[in-house]
Amino acid sequence: MTARILDGNALAQRLRADFKTRAEALAARGTRPGLAVILVGEDPASQVYVRNKVNACAQAGFHSERISYPRDVEPQVVFDKLAELNADPAIHGILVQLPLPKHFDSDAVLKAIAPAKDVDGFHAENVGALMQGHPRFIPCTPYGVMKFFADAGIDLRGKEAVVLGRSNIVGKPMAMLLLQASATVTVCHSQTRDLAFHTRRADVLVAALGKARFVTADMVKPGAVVIDVGINRLPDGKLCGDVDFAGVSAIAAAITPVPGGVGPMTITMLLANTLEAAEREVG
Ligand code: NDP
């Protein structure tokens, strides 16, 4: 079997075209969806992520603001800015690019974002709402993964789903969404015994552990759907996922590539969350 490639660039393009139309409809009613992105420090990867987010907003016809601070900024300056953005009617979504420098209490910063503008979905109130099955904002990466299933017509009911990784931004919300779609979910992590025992049972396997080409063909059930969230840089500078694409694509039914899979969907779902926030506000 040669796997069907789930093309994140193509799906992202289709979704973004729809968002642009919806943003134009909102603008005609006097509201432009607006996203504010706060960046602290000069980390090159974070700078690229923030630039991509701001550019994606411009292409979709959204308003965006990029607010940058040097890495030694006083945390109170950021808290004051968040309070200002929380009250700003032109801003529907706020995100603080992580990681923050060590002198910041990241949890306190995330809590200072108004839950109604928390487009990353990391505020405890939004995490709780997701857990209870009535999410306001779904964290962007797992939200994007769910879009792949919907777009490819993959019915998750009763499927064995295995998630590798239990982070707050990917693994845990991913597991919750799969559970809500009525899959039977197993979450694996660094202390899991006999990982391959679990992965070989998976009809749907989501790899989000941050280890280059960790998942090999012998760990995958033939005919499985494999979603590769990982982004790893190889010594030659090239990007690769957590899945050995060459081997696994020969036996899986469907697979996301890296790059060009989950990555483009993450920013797309940030646009989705910002747009949904603006639409909710307009009513
Ligand atoms: P974290 O480092 O926060 O979490 C990694 C998880 O993987 C942890 O739960 C860890 O277990 C688990 N893990 C690590 N090693 C193993 C192992 N050998 N066996 C089983 N489990 C293991 O990473 P993130 O969740 O933030 O990100 C995961 C990957 O996804 C990274 O490559 C990241 O770059 C990428 N990413 C991609 C995005 C995209 O848009 N495509 C967006 C966000 C992330 P434990 O909890 O026990 O330590």
Side-chain angles (χ1 to χ4, degrees):
M1 176 183 289
T2 303
R4 168 181 176 188
I5 308 298
L6 302 174
D7 182 341
N9 285 320
L11 179 54
Q13 216 173 357
R14 273 186 280 133
L15 291 172
R16 289 185 197 200
D18 169 54
F19 299 162
K20 195 168 180 193
T21 309
R22 282 161 60 188
E24 281 162 6
L26 274 186
R29 296 170 65 190
T31 300
R32 242 178 122 200
L35 175 72
V37 184
I38 294 185
L39 173 65
V40 181
E42 292 81 31
D43 175 59
S46 292
Q47 284 179 333
V48 172
Y49 292 141
V50 168
R51 192 168 57 235
N52 290 344
K53 288 168 186 176
V54 169
N55 288 345
C57 280
Q59 282 159 15
F62 292 15
H63 164 68
S64 68
E65 288 178 27
R66 175 198 159 125
I67 302 125
S68 301
Y69 296 108
R71 69 167 288 110
D72 59 356
V73 68
E74 276 299 319
Q76 192 55 47
V77 173
V78 175
F79 284 112
D80 290 346
K81 187 67 191 178
L82 285 173
E84 191 188 302
L85 293 168
N86 285 342
D88 184 345
I91 295 299
H92 305 92
I94 303 169
L95 79 81
V96 177
Q97 186 66 41
L98 299 176
L100 285 165
K102 286 205 167 40
H103 65 290
F104 274 84
D105 174 350
S106 297
D107 286 342
V109 171
L110 296 180
K111 265 192 210 145
I113 298 172
K117 297 189 177 186
D118 167 41
V119 281
D120 262 339
F122 296 160
H123 191 289
E125 191 177 311
N126 288 323
V127 174
L130 173 65
M131 187 87 180
Q132 290 182 335
H134 44 79
R136 174 161 41 196
F137 293 114
I138 300 173
C140 301
T141 301
Y143 194 4
V145 173
M146 295 307 283
K147 286 282 175 197
F148 276 117
F149 298 135
D151 186 65
I154 295 164
D155 185 357
L156 295 163
R157 276 175 301 179
K159 297 274 166 63
E160 290 290 335
V162 174
V163 179
L164 303 183
R166 57 174 165 179
S167 70
N168 288 336
I169 63 167
V170 188
K172 281 185 202 158
M174 187 74 252
M176 198 49 58
L177 291 169
L178 289 163
L179 185 62
Q180 281 163 12
S182 295
T184 302
V185 183
T186 304
V187 183
C188 299
H189 45 79
S190 67
Q191 305 305 307
T192 298
R193 274 181 283 158
D194 198 356
L195 197 84
F197 163 78
H198 297 286
T199 59
R200 282 193 205 111
R201 289 187 303 109
D203 302 309
V204 174
L205 180 61
V206 181
L209 37 80
K211 302 254 180 256
R213 296 177 181 151
F214 181 92
V215 177
T216 46
D218 58 310
M219 297 168 70
V220 176
K221 178 176 168 177
V225 174
V226 180
I227 305 289
D228 191 352
V229 177
I231 301 177
N232 307 289
R233 200 165 285 283
L234 295 167
D236 65 4
K238 287 194 181 132
L239 290 182
C240 80
D242 290 347
V243 176
D244 173 31
F245 184 85
V248 174
S249 61
I251 62 157
I255 188 168
T256 58
V258 178
V262 175
M265 289 299 291
T266 295
I267 292 188
T268 301
M269 301 326 289
L270 175 67
L271 296 177
N273 280 343
T274 305
L275 179 62
E276 285 166 17
E279 287 175 337
R280 267 200 291 271
E281 195 203 77
V282 171

